[in-house]
Amino acid sequence: MSADIAALLQTIADEAIALTDRGAVADYIPALANVPPRQFGIAVATVDGALHRAGSADQAFSIQSISKLFALTLALQREGDDLWQRVGREPSGTPFNSLVLLERESGVPRNPFVNAGALVITDVLCHRYLQPERAVLEFVHRLLSRTSVAIDPQVARSERLHSDRNAAIAHFMRSFGNLRQEVAAILDAYCAQCAIAMSCAELARAALFLAADGVQPGAARVLQAADARRINALMLTCGAYDAAGDFAFRIGLPTKTGVGGGILAIVPGRMSICAWSPRLDATGNSIAAAAAIERFAATTGLSIFR
Ligand code: GLN
């Protein structure tokens, strides 16, 4: 299986390069518009400790919304089920940065992966930690057993300077009493957390606990098995926003995407996969990375629906 995975990743990387001219980089965060777009990387980490990589799998990129997974995990560790009073568990069917449901639903976001939901999670972390973005980063360091991962200050600043939309979402939720900290502090922490830079190899390794019933292989328990299952369920139904249904149809695995072009996928009990390529489709998901994970799942037959 190991040799097969390595060979398959190489084939996928060779083919994916042809897709890297489709779509557009996320230029609403100006610093991301400067990323050379014709890049592709993929890595697979298995629960028994193997790591396979192809293409630019060691190139760090902006993890953006993939950080919402780590923030949610940390908030769940601290708050437990009380968290679900303030954020829902339903797909939104709307873009990641939409405000449209918030008025009808009294400022309670549909799920923790749309921006509104992630801002509630950040509010929780702002209450618990003096430097919430450091708490998320240090959690990633613990998952990787090393401290080499960092926040890219330029990307953080660039997003913060262009965060009117997230500011609008946050103020609106605060008017319903669903945010407790000051909006400016929440946005500072949120933009910094989204600006964590990691490679496919690092992301695949860091997220392994989601494939291993909540225990990080070779390290400690991160979450109860039931909570790891629930996060996987949320990834399947909400991880790719208004493309989550299409992703479930095409890939059949829990995924979390980010506008930096990364996509993380979990094969429960087996492995985690991370693919990256900067250009996105209209739903804000990487075209080449999604195609690569689709191809990996189809070729290996790995799906949660088999
Ligand atoms: N930081 C980005 C934003 O809030 C994250 C969005 C994403 O990756 N989908 O717009």
Side-chain angles (χ1 to χ4, degrees):
M1 183 74 173
S2 244
D4 296 351
I5 292 181
L8 175 58
L9 292 190
Q10 193 52 56
T11 306
I12 289 174
D14 293 342
E15 289 174 2
I17 281 292
L19 295 176
T20 58
D21 57 355
R22 300 203 195 151
V25 296
D27 55 6
Y28 76 97
I29 300 173
L32 295 184
N34 302 328
V35 176
R38 300 208 60 160
Q39 302 191 76
F40 175 85
I42 187 165
V44 167
T46 66
V47 294
D48 49 22
L51 181 66
H52 307 280
R53 32 157 86 85
S56 302
D58 293 311
Q59 167 75 44
F61 59 90
S62 193
I63 72 170
Q64 292 297 319
S65 283
I66 301 176
S67 68
K68 294 171 182 173
L69 265 183
F70 302 118
L72 171 63
T73 301
L74 202 54
L76 265 178
Q77 282 178 345
R78 302 301 301 259
E79 299 278 310
D81 281 349
D82 288 351
L83 198 64
W84 305 116
Q85 309 279 327
R86 294 177 58 192
V87 61
R89 286 115 45 166
E90 289 293 342
S92 70
T94 58
F96 62 86
N97 57 0
S98 175
L99 284 99
V100 80
L101 294 168
L102 285 174
E103 179 159 31
R104 269 211 321 259
E105 300 180 355
S106 307
V108 178
R110 278 286 173 102
N111 64 68
F113 294 148
V114 288
N115 286 9
L119 290 164
V120 170
I121 302 295
T122 302
D123 184 60
V124 167
L125 297 180
C126 284
H127 176 67
R128 295 276 180 172
Y129 299 96
L130 274 175
Q131 288 184 292
E133 69 278 18
R134 294 280 332 159
V136 176
L137 185 67
E138 282 162 15
F139 175 46
V140 170
H141 290 166
R142 288 197 295 282
L143 291 170
L144 291 173
S145 302
R146 64 175 132 106
T147 57
S148 48
V149 170
I151 292 168
D152 181 331
Q154 221 191 322
V155 175
R157 209 173 316 114
S158 176
E159 179 169 13
R160 185 66 180 89
L161 288 171
H162 296 83
S163 55
D164 290 333
R165 200 174 176 101
N166 284 326
I169 293 172
H171 280 293
F172 200 43
M173 289 194 295
R174 202 165 191 275
S175 77
F176 287 101
N178 200 18
L179 290 187
R180 283 121 203 214
Q181 312 299 313
E182 290 303 322
V183 167
I186 295 167
L187 291 175
D188 287 347
Y190 173 79
C191 293
Q193 161 207 306
C194 288
I196 292 174
M198 290 172 79
S199 67
C200 290
E202 287 167 335
L203 271 171
R205 281 188 49 227
L208 260 181
F209 67 96
L210 292 170
D213 298 322
V215 177
Q216 186 67 345
R221 175 168 289 285
V222 176
L223 281 176
Q224 291 307 310
D227 277 327
R229 263 199 306 276
R230 288 162 150 190
I231 292 181
N232 277 291
L234 287 168
M235 290 171 73
L236 185 80
T237 53
C238 315
Y241 315 110
D242 43 340
D246 192 49
F247 268 45
F249 182 90
R250 286 168 57 197
I251 297 171
L253 295 172
T255 59
K256 183 73 210 81
T257 65
V259 292
I263 303 181
L264 184 73
I266 302 296
V267 185
R270 305 285 292 273
M271 62 185 74
S272 65
I273 308 153
C274 183
W276 166 65
S277 190
R279 283 197 168 117
L280 313 175
D281 66 13
T283 61
N285 299 313
S286 167
I287 293 176
I293 294 177
E294 181 179 6
R295 169 92 148 85
F296 182 86
T299 309
T300 56
L302 293 168
S303 156
I304 62 167
F305 297 113
R306 57 201 302 247

